[in-house]
């Protein structure tokens, strides 16, 4: 799970940076901000146990953490420029 979190962190960060520098559509900076936020959320330094920075009272257990990660993956299309689809 930690490897998947690292892959998502790197992918979201690099995609956000590339959109920030050379966005090819209107609203690319907003999408880049959202991808940067997703990269921050999926960073294993913040959420992965046992060396995570989250206190034990806020720590999310195994199955719930998996479901939150799955929800994060499934919610990423919400950041895409849906205005261009219409």
């Amino acid at each position: 799970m930690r490897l998947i979190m690292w892959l998502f962190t790197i992918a979201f960060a690099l995609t956000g940076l590339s959109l920030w520098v050379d966005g090819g559509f209107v609203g690319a900076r907003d999408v880049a901000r959202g991808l940067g936020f997703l990269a921050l959320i999926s960073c294993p330094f913040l959420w992965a146990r046992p060396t995570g920075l989250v206190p034990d009272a806020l720590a999310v257990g195994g199955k719930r953490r998996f479901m939150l990660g799955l929800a994060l993956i499934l919610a990423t299309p919400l950041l895409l420029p849906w205005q261009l689809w219409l």
Side-chain angles (χ1 to χ4, degrees):
M1 187 68 177
R2 192 180 297 250
L3 180 62
I4 293 172
M5 291 170 68
W6 274 116
L7 289 174
F8 280 134
T9 300
I10 292 169
F12 288 148
L14 290 179
T15 306
L17 285 174
S18 67
L19 280 177
W20 188 268
V21 171
D22 191 27
F25 56 89
V26 177
R29 293 251 170 143
D30 296 327
V31 174
R33 261 189 221 107
L35 287 170
F37 180 70
L38 286 176
L40 183 68
I41 287 175
S42 63
C43 182
F45 276 142
L46 296 177
W47 303 109
R49 302 307 288 169
T51 60
L53 300 176
V54 177
D56 288 335
L58 299 176
V60 179
K63 187 180 270 189
R64 290 189 305 169
R65 186 171 56 214
F66 176 73
M67 294 306 286
L68 284 173
L70 187 62
L72 176 69
I73 294 166
L74 294 176
T76 52
L78 296 175
L79 292 176
L80 297 176
W82 57 268
Q83 306 92 313
L84 300 177
W85 297 350
L86 302 175

